[in-house]
Every structure is written in C-alpha cells, then in structure tokens.
C-alpha cells in the first residue's frame, strides 16, 4: 500500500516507522514554537499526505510529549480522512501548553497510524440486549 507525501520543509526528517518498535509513525514540528503556560497553538507538522482510499489517520501525542514539552493535544485524538489530501492540506497538531515551553524544528511531538474506515452499520433498535450486564459505567473490578 502506498501513500503520497508532500513535505513543506526540508528541515524535518522524512516519515518512517519508529525504529522497528511500533507500527506508529512519528510526526515532527516543522517550525520553532515558543508557548507560554495556558497558550494554545496549531503546530505545523510539515507534511500533507494523500491517504489510500478507505483509510484514515489517527494522530495522538507520543508518550514522552507531555514530559518533554509540557503540552497536551486539545482534541485528545486527531482524525484525518482521505478528503484532506490537497497541496495545501498540511497536517497540524493542536497543542495547549501547561507550562512555558519551546519546541524546536524536527522535535518529535506526536505520532500517527493509518486505520481502515469504520464499516457502514445498520442500527437496529431493541428493548433488550443479549450480553451479560456488567453493572454499568465504572463497575469493572468492583465487588
């Protein structure tokens, strides 16, 4: 399977899998970013990708992003669909700074993976479900 990638800068490393350790792919800051605590910014990632038909990208922080930079992703998880694939459709990462921070060009700040689109579902309304009742929200592991 192939995905076309357009780079907006030559200052970031090319996309690649995470050293054979994962099927996630790191994304890097394409600009120098300075943020004050409480500030929100869209961080440019320096790429646009034409995803294969029937797939979407899920973008999340790296496990070390908060520790290293003190930022969190404001939408918890980003979903990029196949229609976001034009020449100017650069990927961005929405960040909220929890402390004053600096992110440098080529710093790995988030990661993505390609997932198959959800199949078309038909919702059938019923009065009762067949599964075992687990006790409702927050009940797992409680006696």
């Amino acid at each position: 399977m192939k995905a076309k990638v357009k780079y907006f800068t030559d200052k970031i490393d090319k996309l690649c899998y995470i050293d054979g350790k994962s099927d996630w792919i790191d994304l890097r800051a394409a600009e120098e970013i300075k943020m004050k605590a409480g500030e929100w910014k869209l961080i440019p990632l320096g790429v646009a990708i034409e995803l294969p038909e029937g797939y979407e990208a899920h973008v999340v922080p790296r496990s070390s992003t908060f520790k290293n930079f003190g930022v969190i992703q404001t939408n918890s998880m980003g979903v990029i669909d196949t229609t976001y694939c034009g020449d100017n459709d650069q990927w961005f990462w929405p960040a909220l700074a929890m402390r004053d921070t600096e992110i440098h060009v080529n710093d790995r700040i988030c990661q993505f993976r390609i997932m198959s689109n959800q199949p078309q579902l038909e919702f059938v309304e019923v009065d009762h479900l067949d599964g075992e009742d687990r006790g409702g929200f927050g009940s797992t592991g409680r006696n």
Side-chain angles (χ1 to χ4, degrees), residues 3 5 7 13-19 22-28 45 47 49 51 58-62 91 108-114:
V5 179
Y7 291 93
D13 291 353
K14 303 294 185 194
L15 297 177
C16 65
Y17 286 97
I18 303 171
D19 298 330
S22 174
D23 62 352
W24 288 80
I25 300 164
D26 285 337
L27 292 163
R28 298 166 181 273
L45 301 173
V47 296
I49 302 175
L51 298 170
H58 293 182
V59 182
V60 298
R62 297 179 74 243
W91 290 14
R108 297 178 298 161
I109 58 169
C110 58
Q111 59 189 337
F112 79 100
R113 71 183 315 181
I114 304 299

Side-chain angles (χ1 to χ4, degrees), residues 48-134:
I49 302 175
E50 189 175 314
L51 298 170
E53 190 65 37
Y55 289 85
E56 62 193 25
H58 293 182
V59 182
V60 298
R62 297 179 74 243
S63 61
S64 61
T65 297
F66 185 78
K67 175 181 68 90
N68 291 342
F69 304 107
V71 294
I72 59 174
Q73 184 172 347
T74 58
N75 59 346
S76 300
M77 182 183 89
V79 177
I80 300 172
D81 64 37
T82 57
T83 65
Y84 193 71
C85 62
D87 261 349
N88 295 305
D89 292 337
Q90 179 175 193
W91 290 14
F92 288 83
W93 193 69
L96 176 64
M98 305 308 289
R99 59 175 166 82
D100 292 358
T101 190
E102 291 185 18
I103 300 169
H104 302 288
V105 170
N106 208 40
D107 280 347
R108 297 178 298 161
I109 58 169
C110 58
Q111 59 189 337
F112 79 100
R113 71 183 315 181
I114 304 299
M115 303 292 294
S116 180
N117 290 352
Q118 177 171 287
Q120 188 68 35
L121 298 174
E122 176 185 346
F123 295 99
V124 179
E125 186 175 344
V126 297
D127 291 327
H128 301 284
L129 300 174
D130 296 330
E132 181 181 342
D133 191 338
R134 293 180 41 186

